[in-house]
Amino acid sequence: MGKCMPQRAYLLAVVLLIVGIVAGYGIGSVTAPRVTETVTVPGPGAATVTTTVVQTVTLPAPGVGLSGEVRIGALLPLSGVLSSFGAEYKAILEYVEGEINSYLAGLGRPWRIKFVVEDTGTDPKTHLDKLMALAGAGIKIFIGGASSAELSEALSFCNANNILIISPSSTSPALALVDMGLRYTPNDLYQGKAIAKIMWERGTRWIIPMWRGDTWGDGLAKASVDEFTAICKASGETCGVIEGIRYDPAAKEFSAEISLLASKVTDATGRYGKDKVGVLLISFEEAAAIFAAAKAYPILSEVMWQGSDGTANVAVLLDPGVADIVIKTRFYNTMASPGISPRAEIVRNVIRAKLGRDPMGYTYFVYDIAWTVALTLDAVGTYDAIAVKNALPYIHQNYLGASGLVKLDENGDRVLASYDIWFVVEEAGKYAWKVIGIYDGATGRVIWYTSP
């Protein structure tokens, strides 16, 4: 889209960027001609597929009542144990802010969006304090609650003050409630199914869980254990769950927990064999300290480990000091898959250019939160969190974003159930994260792009 592009063509291109299916927009629109676009989308593994799509696009009618700078709070974990998440979220918001404002300018709108970024430190109290401060300054809509503990701490204030908060990565089943919090990712009842199935297919018959003792960790550990137990019972095989280790989420040092884990693994492998025992580690970036401590116990490198979205694609596990044991234990990690969308390439290109790595699934959700909030604000024409919350489902019906179609259930959680499987690999002397398979929630099948 160069500067010489006619305005009409420019507007069509911008709208096509964000709106894939717009029939029945329902809030006010002007129909435009059908257009054809050739796009390249990811296929299985590293493959890409070029395809031609024909879409009917609709230009939204002008909103009313908004002018000047409209601020959206962005409470991001730029430091702390989810800093890898925060770095990607900030990078994509910096990009999408310009993209949205170009769109608004192209349509002649008198308002612009501004994401006000604050670092939460991955700390629930800091997250709440900064949310309250920004709310006091007049901000009513937030992207935040990157962790379930942060979102949980904030919800009472948001509910009491009609503040909308949308999380790209909170997954605790305990927060599946009708309230002012929406989540563009599925809750962990889905991820528990994926983890249990993946561990079973890898040959694990006895799992020893070790997890963060917070809202997120407790919920995902229970969901995973429940699903594994169900698979075990249905199989008729000798299998089960060994009592695990729940640790303090504020802990920085894990020598006692790892000593206990080594004792449990030694006992279990003596009874059932090393190929039948697996460790399920549900943690954030403290996983690096856990693996560093695990090096002192050779038996812990002789069984398979399984992780989750809390450790998928995190930078600290690429540190040479721990990457070797991460690879040796075949530490596979699940994260909600963004699916296939022509717009996904935008997010990949931005994160690769800014951070030198492929984005995690949740970063696509941040992009889509930003766009759907902007489109909804433009449609309702007022900076009202309740009005935006009520109108979002109509925007979702007609929006095809970087993570595909967005559909939320009755609790405001995403209805989506497929998970990419991430693993650290060493290529050309460097460690990097790579997607090696996918759990298809629609079929319950695990599809490996490489041998598990």
Side-chain angles (χ1 to χ4, degrees), residues 124-166:
K125 185 177 184 306
T126 302
H127 179 277
L128 176 60
D129 289 345
K130 294 197 173 183
L131 185 150
M132 293 172 69
L134 292 178
I139 294 181
K140 303 174 184 177
I141 300 172
F142 289 84
I143 299 172
S147 71
S148 293
E150 290 173 306
L151 183 62
S152 177
E153 187 80 6
L155 278 175
S156 293
F157 180 81
C158 291
N159 293 337
N161 294 280
N162 290 333
I163 290 171
L164 179 62
I165 183 168
I166 307 178

Side-chain angles (χ1 to χ4, degrees), residues 244-245 255-265 297:
I245 301 166
S255 58
E257 289 85 353
I258 288 299
S259 175
L260 179 57
L261 179 64
S263 174
K264 288 176 177 288
V265 170
Y297 300 89

Side-chain angles (χ1 to χ4, degrees), residues 3 14 16 18-19 22 29 31 47 59 62 75 88 91 148 170 173 186 217 327 350 373 375 383 388 402 419 444 446:
K3 292 182 180 179
V14 173
L16 181 60
I18 56 175
V19 183
V22 291
S29 59
T31 301
L59 299 180
L75 303 171
E88 293 194 14
S148 293
S170 164
I327 292 175
V350 169
V373 166
L375 289 171
Y383 190 53
V388 169
Y419 290 83
V446 179

Side-chain angles (χ1 to χ4, degrees), residues 30 36 44 84 90 121 131 165 182 214 266 273 310 331 335 384 386:
V30 179
T36 301
S84 293
K90 183 174 183 287
L131 185 150
I165 183 168
L182 304 179
D214 61 10
T266 298
F331 185 54
M335 176 165 281
D384 183 308
I386 296 292

Side-chain angles (χ1 to χ4, degrees), residues 3 8 15 18 37 69 71 210 217 270 272 289 297 409 428-429:
K3 292 182 180 179
R8 179 68 170 176
V15 175
I18 56 175
E37 182 185 45
E69 191 173 79
R71 295 180 300 163
M210 178 175 175
Y272 311 116
Y297 300 89
D409 64 16

